[in-house]
Amino acid sequence: MKALKDCQIAVVGLGLMGGSLAGALRGKCRSVVGVARRPESIEKALELGLIDRGTRRVSEGVRHADVVVLATPVRVIIEQLFAIGPLLPEGCLLMDLGSTKTQVVAAMAELPDQVQPLGGHPMCGKEVSGIEAAEPAIYRGATFILTPLPRTSNEALALGRELAEAAGSHPLVLSAERQDFLVGTVSHLPYLMACALVVTADATTSSDPAAWKIVAGGYRDTTRIAGSDATMMTDILLTNRDEVLEAVDVFQEQIRRLAQLVERGDEEQLRAVLDEIRQERLRMYP
């Protein structure tokens, strides 16, 4: 396969993640072609200098591509795989940026033989969406999970690594099942928790006008991701349902345990448990 610097890369979907990746790769490959349904997205990507050229026609965008990256919601990715696969040239590397991988990788296994599939999930983003929010720097320093299939060649995986590194990320190879298990707890559960906290605050304090005058950084930081795109998050939750629900069950057990300590007024035990949790958080993020 070609080195990244000699590749034409097509990014299908010019939202936050696709637009940001296009901008992060532009200048580090032969050219970046953006594919989007809305002409306004293409115009904005060109205005921001994120792509070399753009098109609304998928077939035109991927026709001469060496690498194609699908940067759309997960269930859209699964649909696109079947439509785009036959359009790709011999040896083309087809990647995605979906936040869940098991269903995506299963669909990738059905791609035509001439295509090299490689699942991808960059662990970065913002709570806002759209090409206007694109920021190439969001990939810098982030972990970029790669999920190869048994049919993925070593050369294709190496090119995927090179792409992740060119964007400023740190590639990490995981199986699809292992990645979905991990992100179910460390990424998808926090989103549900943030949503639940917003709803709880609305149900309990919204009638008091002083509530929003005393909101502190803890509430803002904890609920930030509740502002994420609802369509994207619905796809993520429904395509990682089992892992998310298992994480929710464990969380409910832990919140009940803490609530019981508060209810009993067991100061010594409560302080000990909270300090143990604090120490664990400090070990994770010193």
Side-chain angles (χ1 to χ4, degrees):
M1 304 188 80
K2 295 179 181 178
L4 187 74
K5 65 182 178 63
D6 299 318
C7 289
Q8 177 173 296
I9 299 175
V11 178
V12 181
L14 293 177
L16 167 67
M17 299 304 294
S20 297
L21 182 65
L25 296 175
R26 190 176 182 221
K28 299 170 184 174
C29 58
R30 180 159 55 89
S31 64
V32 177
V33 179
V35 182
R37 291 179 302 171
R38 297 171 59 244
E40 297 85 0
S41 296
I42 295 172
E43 292 167 8
K44 191 65 176 179
L46 288 168
E47 177 189 329
L48 294 173
L50 302 174
I51 59 176
D52 293 294
R53 64 182 179 88
T55 178
R56 296 175 63 192
R57 296 176 56 192
V58 174
S59 58
E60 179 184 339
V62 306
R63 182 179 300 134
H64 302 296
D66 302 292
V67 181
V68 173
V69 181
L70 304 182
T72 51
V74 176
R75 289 186 291 184
V76 176
I77 289 170
I78 293 170
E79 294 175 4
Q80 288 176 325
L81 286 169
F82 296 103
I84 290 177
L87 303 175
L88 302 181
E90 181 80 25
C92 181
L93 173 62
L94 179 57
M95 299 179 63
D96 79 295
L97 302 183
S99 295
T100 63
K101 293 271 72 79
T102 302
Q103 292 186 28
V104 171
V105 165
M108 282 183 165
E110 304 302 319
L111 285 167
D113 292 341
Q114 82 269 14
V115 179
Q116 281 292 321
L118 178 62
H121 178 198
M123 298 299 295
C124 59
K126 297 192 288 186
E127 69 275 14
V128 290
S129 58
I131 189 66
E132 295 81 6
E135 182 184 338
I138 65 172
Y139 284 88
R140 198 173 301 149
T143 297
F144 199 126
I145 298 172
L146 300 173
T147 53
L149 282 67
R151 59 180 271 187
T152 305
S153 69
N154 291 334
E155 293 79 10
L157 179 56
L159 182 56
R161 286 180 181 272
E162 189 180 1
L163 182 149
E165 289 169 351
S169 301
H170 306 297
L172 174 65
V173 177
L174 296 174
S175 69
E177 295 77 14
R178 187 178 179 190
Q179 108 94 33
D180 283 358
F181 164 69
L182 294 172
V183 299
T185 295
V186 301
S187 181
H188 306 159
L189 174 63
Y191 170 73
L192 286 181
M193 292 165 57
C195 291
L197 180 53
V198 170
V199 174
T200 300
D202 183 60
T204 59
T205 64
S206 63
S207 60
D208 189 329
W212 306 113
K213 295 180 181 179
I214 62 172
V215 165
Y219 180 85
R220 286 192 296 269
D221 292 345
T222 306
T223 60
R224 177 184 58 81
I225 55 174
S228 300
D229 182 77
T231 298
M232 176 188 72
M233 293 309 305
T234 297
D235 270 16
I236 288 170
L237 295 170
L238 293 182
T239 56
N240 202 26
R241 185 180 313 175
D242 291 345
E243 301 295 356
V244 171
L245 291 178
E246 184 173 336
V248 169
D249 285 344
V250 175
F251 174 76
Q252 288 175 330
E253 291 174 9
Q254 295 302 320
I255 196 70
R256 277 195 297 268
R257 178 172 74 109
L258 293 172
Q260 287 167 358
L261 290 173
V262 174
E263 183 181 22
R264 292 203 302 264
D266 189 337
E267 181 176 345
E268 183 176 348
Q269 182 64 19
L270 178 60
R271 183 185 298 111
V273 170
L274 294 178
D275 189 61
E276 180 182 344
I277 294 169
R278 175 177 179 273
Q279 294 303 323
E280 178 61 24
R281 178 62 170 74
L282 291 174
R283 281 192 291 271
M284 295 167 63
Y285 298 98

